[in-house]
Amino acid sequence: MNFGSLNASWRLASISNKFLLATNLILGCTVLVLSRAALQNRDRITVLPPTIDKPHVIGWRSASPEYHKSMAMYFTGLIGTVGPKNINYVLGVMEGFCSPEVAASFKVRMNAIATEYEFRNSTANTWFEGERVAWEESSGMVFVMGRLMSANTAHVVTAKQAVYEYKIDIREGQPVIVHFDSYEGTVPH
């Protein structure tokens, strides 16, 4: 028996096994790190429909100011067209976008309006004409200023200056209204 070659082969096998063990440990750690990164990674979507002139960046927990502004304008347009026949629809849509606290107060406000005699028996059309949308970086508030218009059956149009203010959080990629207020005037509070 040649003990020299047996000893060399044994040493080479031992070195080879240590190298393979180190390689497997490194690969295992790499797989764990990449798996964790893949599970925590949230896609960021940039939307640029043909009717919007600026891209809207929407992340898992954040969005661009342009997205906040356009969502506030959408909500204001929806609220501005409320009437006796579509109040339940508006409430349903808005509740889907509001936090529970805001949804409850919004529902109380809309139901108070709905019980008014003038509103129930109204045949007027209402709409909101947005004039300006402002974004306040420090608080994340969006202010939509414009005119709340109404026209009765005699085609008499009346306008009332109004400001709608929103704080919209992004939760799991969805906009959620966490603050809502509306008041007459042209200056945000």
Side-chain angles (χ1 to χ4, degrees), residues 69 72-73 76 128-136 141-148 160-166 181-189:
K69 289 179 190 178
M73 194 64 186
T76 303
F128 182 80
E129 291 181 355
E131 295 171 348
R132 194 168 61 103
V133 181
W135 164 259
E136 189 176 75
M141 298 285 284
V142 181
F143 301 95
V144 180
M145 287 127 323
R147 296 181 303 170
L148 189 57
K160 181 170 51 171
Q161 292 293 119
V163 176
Y164 291 85
E165 68 179 44
Y166 301 90
D181 196 11
S182 63
Y183 40 88
E184 288 186 33
T186 59
V187 179
H189 295 165

Side-chain angles (χ1 to χ4, degrees), residues 71 74-75 78 92-99 174-178:
M71 289 307 297
Y74 166 73
F75 296 138
L78 187 64
V93 171
M94 290 302 292
E95 283 179 342
F97 287 103
C98 292
S99 67
Q174 299 292 323
V176 177
I177 301 170
V178 295

Side-chain angles (χ1 to χ4, degrees), residues 73-92:
M73 194 64 186
Y74 166 73
F75 296 138
T76 303
L78 187 64
I79 295 166
T81 60
V82 72
K85 297 201 184 329
N86 72 345
I87 190 164
N88 291 328
Y89 170 75
V90 171
L91 277 172

Side-chain angles (χ1 to χ4, degrees), residues 44-59 63-64 66-67 70-71 173:
R44 175 177 243 166
I45 301 168
T46 301
V47 181
L48 186 56
T51 58
I52 297 174
D53 61 346
K54 296 179 183 173
H56 292 176
V57 178
I58 308 159
S64 64
E66 288 79 19
Y67 180 74
S70 57
M71 289 307 297

